[in-house]
Amino acid sequence: MEQKQDGKIQRMKELTGILSEAAKTYYQESREIMSNLEYDRLYDELAALEQETGVMLAGSPTQRVGYEVLSELPKEAHESPMLSLDKTKDVEALADWLGDQKGLLSWKLDGLTIVLTYEGGQLVKAVTRGNGEIGEVITNNARVFANVPLRIAYQGQLVLRGEAVIKYSDFERINDEIEDVDAKYKNPRNLCSGSVRQLNNQITAQRNVNFEAFMLVRAEGVDFHNSRKEQFLWLKEQGFDVVEFREVTRDTIAGAVKDFSERVQTYDVPSDGLVLLLDDIAYGDSLGRTAKFPRNSIAFKWADELRETHLKEIEWSPSRTGLINPVAIFEPVELEGTTVSRASVHNISIMEELALGEGDRITVYKANMIIPQIAENLTRSGTVRIPDHCPVCGGPTEIRQTTDVKSLYCTNPDCQAKKVKSFALLASRDALNIDGLSEATLERFIGAGFIHTYADMFHLDEHRDAIVEMEGFGQKSYDNLVEAVRRASHTTLPRVIYGLGIAGIGLANAKVLCRAFDGDFEAMRHADREALTAVDGIGGVLADGWMEYFQKESNRELVDGLLKELTIEQEAAPAGEVILAGKVFVITGTVEHFPNRKALQEEIERLGGKATGSVTAKTSYLINNDTTSNSSKNKKAKELGIPIISEQEFLEMTGGTGDAD
């Protein structure tokens, strides 16, 4: 009976996907992928299965959930506190904790915990975990999750917990559609949190949020034979996706942990560890709980070392674009062998989600064991004040929202921080490459009044005497700097465009624009939106940013002054060599025929192609010398049917030899 029901629900999921794709192509793209007769046949099959099983999945073409915009999310207290789990990183400790009991080992998913309530077979309420005692009611959003059953066969009251998650593949797809670098999401968990807690559930629906059940709280009148496994299997029968789990004993748990840990790198659902749950319901409940943890389950962490500390303050750090990033300063702790005392909070949305305040107890970790991050705020005072004025220039600030991310910006065009970082970008290696003109040196020169415009960087000889007398400088340093400036005056147009710091225009996009406009900078700077978006890889956001930059008279004057100081060398490819036009490559792994991956990227761009960092449906080839590896990029390429080629195959394709010889 169980297998039969499970098979029917799997078929319902298949039909929902097929019919939804058919409807999308018909109504949004004006093309057909199946006949009306075939669509109706599959639709009737789905409707019959829904009637037979009593299950109706979210997204089913047989029903439509209306979109709704709320002014705020209502709050609601949980019946009992939702506790965190005790944790260990020791497999032997897991085995000792389990003892002679049978357990269920599953992924510890990294998303947002949700409590669902069903009555009379209908989804009636969905509430976030919140602070464990009070959550936010997101029922309307849960109705548009990709896989939540809206109707189930069971007619009693059902309460269950699960994790709302956004898969890595969907995270990359959504980020690829955002062309403003500052607006991209930092990780799937932050994107999921913002998606689940939307006031407009149409946005939630577009994010493809999935729900995976991990705990049945109440289902009166159902005999589960005192087994958590039976609860999981029953939830599957009701149409829920249940977190992947495995039965374990003291003797088998080490092998199961090893299997999970080997698969975590390629697992599409974000996970930050494992959960071990006692199968015996009555025994687990009899153990009770501590003030902080339930005793019937424990978490296993294999990646990140967490440390508890206290937040001292939020430092606000301006950038060249005017973006002011919040940075958490906390009491120093040892993490992964080093002492850390600060971590970027990225934007206001994340800061508000963490409810940060001075003196709060926080846990910190190193993402990928490298970048310090705040994992959790244990006290959530939320007392941090967003500054009304820029900490560098004192100019007014404003909060801007892109997609659903709120960020703080300095509105003063003459902000010193903007100037220093803008000049530093222009002098950087991929732009004019002025060796010796570091950010620290620029700060001193700007502060001394030597540099006001881009053109001033090429007239430092007017301040020779003052520079030579500066601490840390001398005649030799001055001579080296002047020579570096002289060399930098002979450059290429893509380097200049990249150095201007136009939002979203990196070196690769600068090269694409130059090729599309045949190196005609005047045509480029006066191009309208239609002409810009016609260029492959330049979407509406980038086009608007480009036009906005050149609409400002101050920017036009800066650029005109700079161009008078430069000799622009032409980069036109020899006739017949733009053989990779329209092709998009992703490079991963080590290279053998080129000095490094950047050299290979430059060769791709020289031949008219484009190199990006993520494998998407737009990717033409993935270059990986280990074509048979199980890396995440190889796996994604195989899923999308994208050819995986070696470096040698790339050279054969282009008739090149590489630069290693």
Side-chain angles (χ1 to χ4, degrees), residues 577-619:
E577 278 210 9
V578 189
I579 58 176
L580 299 181
K583 303 293 185 186
V584 179
F585 292 80
V586 173
I587 308 165
T588 189
T590 58
V591 293
E592 300 166 358
H593 297 274
F594 288 83
N596 49 50
R597 286 195 290 186
K598 185 165 183 62
L600 175 52
Q601 176 183 330
E602 290 173 350
E603 176 67 2
I604 291 169
E605 293 170 348
R606 186 183 73 81
L607 296 174
K610 184 177 181 180
T612 64
S614 301
V615 176
T616 70
K618 296 179 181 179
T619 304

Side-chain angles (χ1 to χ4, degrees), residues 100-119:
D100 296 330
Q101 292 290 316
K102 184 172 67 175
L104 303 178
L105 188 68
S106 65
W107 296 110
K108 184 176 183 295
L109 301 179
D110 191 17
L112 201 67
T113 299
I114 307 292
V115 183
L116 300 182
T117 302
Y118 289 77
E119 292 179 357

Side-chain angles (χ1 to χ4, degrees), residues 8 11 13 53 70 73 106 145 147 215 221 256-257 263 279 485 488-489 512 542 642 650 655:
K8 290 176 181 177
R11 177 57 176 164
K13 291 178 180 178
T53 62
L70 304 176
L73 293 174
S106 65
F145 285 1
N147 64 338
M215 176 67 71
V257 169
R263 291 191 292 127
D279 183 60
V485 169
S489 66
V512 167
L542 292 185
I642 292 164
F650 169 79

Side-chain angles (χ1 to χ4, degrees), residues 336-387:
E336 309 290 354
T338 62
T339 301
V340 295
S341 59
R342 52 194 294 129
S344 174
V345 187
H346 301 299
N347 54 55
I348 292 176
S349 294
I350 294 174
M351 188 187 76
E352 290 179 341
E353 181 187 332
L354 289 167
L356 295 175
E358 293 181 6
D360 279 351
R361 286 189 303 120
I362 60 174
T363 55
V364 295
Y365 70 104
K366 282 188 177 180
N368 299 320
M369 293 190 288
I370 299 172
I371 305 168
Q373 301 277 284
I374 295 177
E376 190 177 5
N377 183 2
L378 303 175
T379 42
R380 301 181 64 83
S381 68
T383 57
V384 168
R385 189 183 67 83
I386 299 170

Side-chain angles (χ1 to χ4, degrees), residues 434-647:
I434 305 178
D435 189 30
L437 206 52
S438 66
E439 190 169 310
T441 300
L442 280 164
E443 190 170 351
R444 294 169 70 187
F445 286 2
I446 292 171
F450 301 162
I451 297 176
H452 298 280
T453 69
Y454 291 150
D456 291 338
M457 298 166 70
F458 295 87
H459 296 281
L460 293 174
D461 54 332
E462 297 176 2
H463 309 282
R464 174 198 169 280
D465 293 344
I467 292 174
V468 169
E469 293 300 319
M470 278 185 166
E471 183 179 351
F473 269 88
Q475 186 63 46
K476 185 174 181 180
S477 296
Y478 167 81
D479 290 341
N480 290 340
L481 178 58
V482 170
E483 175 58 22
V485 169
R486 186 195 64 77
R487 288 195 305 270
S489 66
H490 294 264
T491 189
T492 62
L493 190 55
R495 285 177 169 270
V496 176
I497 292 171
Y498 166 67
L500 297 180
I502 301 171
I505 305 297
L507 187 57
N509 279 333
K511 290 178 179 179
V512 167
L513 282 167
C514 288
R515 283 198 297 270
F517 285 87
D518 295 324
D520 186 345
F521 183 64
E522 284 304 304
M524 293 165 65
R525 70 190 293 182
H526 294 106
D528 59 18
R529 199 174 196 269
E530 182 179 359
L532 291 166
T533 54
V535 179
D536 183 43
I538 305 298
V541 174
L542 292 185
D544 291 343
W546 177 275
M547 291 188 299
E548 182 181 342
Y549 181 90
F550 285 106
Q551 282 167 1
K552 293 182 180 178
E553 185 178 354
S554 58
N555 288 337
R556 295 197 301 270
E557 290 176 354
L558 271 175
V559 173
D560 289 340
L562 173 63
L563 292 175
K564 290 176 183 178
E565 306 294 334
L566 301 177
T567 300
I568 304 295
E569 302 164 0
Q570 294 300 313
E571 270 195 324
E577 278 210 9
V578 189
I579 58 176
L580 299 181
K583 303 293 185 186
V584 179
F585 292 80
V586 173
I587 308 165
T588 189
T590 58
V591 293
E592 300 166 358
H593 297 274
F594 288 83
N596 49 50
R597 286 195 290 186
K598 185 165 183 62
L600 175 52
Q601 176 183 330
E602 290 173 350
E603 176 67 2
I604 291 169
E605 293 170 348
R606 186 183 73 81
L607 296 174
K610 184 177 181 180
T612 64
S614 301
V615 176
T616 70
K618 296 179 181 179
T619 304
S620 307
Y621 296 94
L622 171 64
I623 300 176
N624 186 350
N625 283 322
D626 186 1
T627 57
T628 62
S629 82
N630 289 318
S631 70
S632 58
K633 287 182 179 176
N634 274 35
K635 182 180 178 183
K636 185 71 176 292
K638 289 173 184 175
E639 289 175 356
L640 296 173
I642 292 164
I644 304 172
I645 63 173
S646 67
E647 197 179 352

Side-chain angles (χ1 to χ4, degrees), residues 10-29:
Q10 281 302 118
R11 177 57 176 164
M12 289 165 58
K13 291 178 180 178
E14 291 174 8
L15 290 170
T16 296
I18 293 168
L19 292 170
S20 297
E21 180 64 20
K24 175 188 173 187
T25 56
Y26 182 81
Y27 290 109
Q28 297 181 19
E29 302 172 15

